[in-house]
Amino acid sequence: MDALVTTDWLANELGASDLRVVDATYVDAATGRDPAAEYERGHIAGAVFMNLGELRDTDTDLPMMLPSAEKFASRMQSLGLGDGSRIVLYDDSPWHTSARAWWMLRTFGAHDVAILDGGLAKWKAEGRELATGKEQLRHRHFTVWSDRKGVRDLDQMKDVVASGNAQVLDARSAARFTGEEADPRPATHAGHMPGAKNLPYGGIFNEDGTYKTGDDLRRAFEDAGIDLDQPIVTTCGSGITASTLAFGLHLLGKDAALYDGSWSEWGADRTTKKVTGA
């Protein structure tokens, strides 16, 4: 299974015994949307709802830090996602949050994971059928496992900035990156990490919400000043849209690391250096 699958491919695979489809839509509560309720009103047949807002470390004030491996495995089992499953993720979020679910699943040991290109919007635009209500779930075994080689913490990022041993790529908007726009989080400085490059996450998508691929995708990263042959760490505001850049790099055969605390940690920490301007 490719990392990026089409609506035609998924429609043909629905019902396969090893296939699990997951709605990974997440939006900020301030939008007034309720992704869980939206899921019940209409989802791809057989899909389960992964609540990313709850699938996090609740022992920290940071918004979207990875949960423990044990918590993650328990939630996956309760969703019927287990060892040997082929997992296809989709979302209906402006932040393309299925990429965050993809990154988490890979971090916790699931490798046969794909994203539906264009998400639920494309599926609906093509007039494909939706199911309503909740799906009946059967627990499946999900092995507790964590591989954090692709995760960076605050101390590691301080070393990256000091040494320049990896490129830092920020997925936030240009105005947030330069500091022209104030950070929405209280007591969080504006700006970016010293030496960071900026590629707003929307830059790796086509107008219809599908991912750019091939030369178009490669050009998006290179135009942002990224050398694809050198190590890369992605970051954003809370670790969500950084995942879209990590997935885009994966499509190009490049496995980037991700700074999980992102700007909500770096920008609020008094010991870190911040830069404003382009």
Side-chain angles (χ1 to χ4, degrees):
M1 184 172 67
D2 293 336
L4 189 64
V5 299
T6 65
T7 50
D8 282 341
W9 182 93
L10 181 58
N12 289 331
E13 289 289 315
L14 282 181
S17 61
D18 65 335
L19 185 72
R20 301 289 176 269
V21 183
V22 179
D23 184 326
T25 302
Y26 172 78
V27 294
D28 192 289
T31 64
R33 289 178 55 187
D34 182 345
E38 292 174 7
Y39 161 83
E40 290 195 33
R41 287 196 294 269
H43 58 265
I44 296 175
V48 297
F49 179 69
M50 181 185 289
N51 190 335
L52 292 177
E54 295 180 354
L55 196 56
R56 60 184 181 86
D57 182 357
T58 53
D59 293 329
T60 175
D61 292 334
L62 295 171
M64 294 296 290
M65 296 292 281
L66 284 169
S68 67
E70 292 76 15
K71 177 178 180 178
F72 187 84
S74 175
R75 294 293 176 87
M76 295 307 100
Q77 289 177 166
S78 68
L79 289 176
L81 307 178
D83 300 341
S85 297
R86 290 184 300 154
I87 301 171
V88 175
L89 305 155
Y90 73 85
D91 67 76
D92 189 21
S93 169
W95 304 323
H96 303 274
T97 50
S98 52
R100 175 70 183 186
W102 168 87
W103 180 74
M104 293 174 73
L105 281 158
R106 285 173 55 85
T107 298
F108 290 117
H111 297 292
D112 208 359
V113 186
I115 290 177
L116 177 65
D117 202 13
L120 186 64
K122 190 170 190 293
W123 185 271
K124 291 166 68 174
E126 294 169 349
R128 300 183 188 272
E129 292 185 8
L130 297 175
T132 58
K134 294 182 179 179
E135 300 286 341
Q136 288 190 330
L137 306 179
R138 186 177 72 180
H139 279 54
R140 295 177 182 272
H141 178 70
F142 189 101
T143 299
V144 177
W145 177 263
S146 179
D147 181 359
R148 290 185 171 255
K149 70 175 181 293
V151 185
R152 296 293 179 269
D153 62 20
L154 179 61
D155 287 339
Q156 289 171 319
M157 290 308 297
K158 287 181 178 179
D159 180 63
V160 166
V161 169
S163 67
N165 61 18
Q167 303 165 98
V168 179
L169 183 59
D170 194 320
R172 294 176 300 155
S173 69
R176 290 270 301 281
F177 180 82
T178 62
E180 177 185 348
E181 181 181 312
D183 194 274
R185 299 173 181 84
T188 304
H189 288 274
H192 58 269
M193 298 178 207
K197 305 293 186 181
N198 183 216
L199 174 54
Y201 69 94
I204 66 169
F205 292 93
N206 298 308
E207 290 185 4
D208 64 355
T210 57
Y211 276 88
K212 292 180 179 178
T213 56
D215 289 341
D216 287 343
L217 182 58
R218 181 180 299 276
R219 192 175 303 112
F221 287 101
E222 291 177 344
D223 287 351
I226 292 297
D227 182 344
L228 292 169
D229 293 324
Q230 298 300 318
I232 304 166
V233 182
T234 64
T235 182
C236 59
S238 64
I240 293 178
T241 56
S243 302
T244 65
L245 296 188
F247 182 73
L249 288 163
H250 179 74
L251 293 178
L252 293 173
K254 310 295 179 181
D255 286 327
L258 186 148
Y259 174 29
D260 203 23
S262 282
W263 194 253
S264 49
E265 180 175 46
W266 188 277
D269 192 298
R270 296 191 178 187
T271 69
T272 58
K273 295 180 180 179
K274 293 91 174 172
V275 177
T276 56

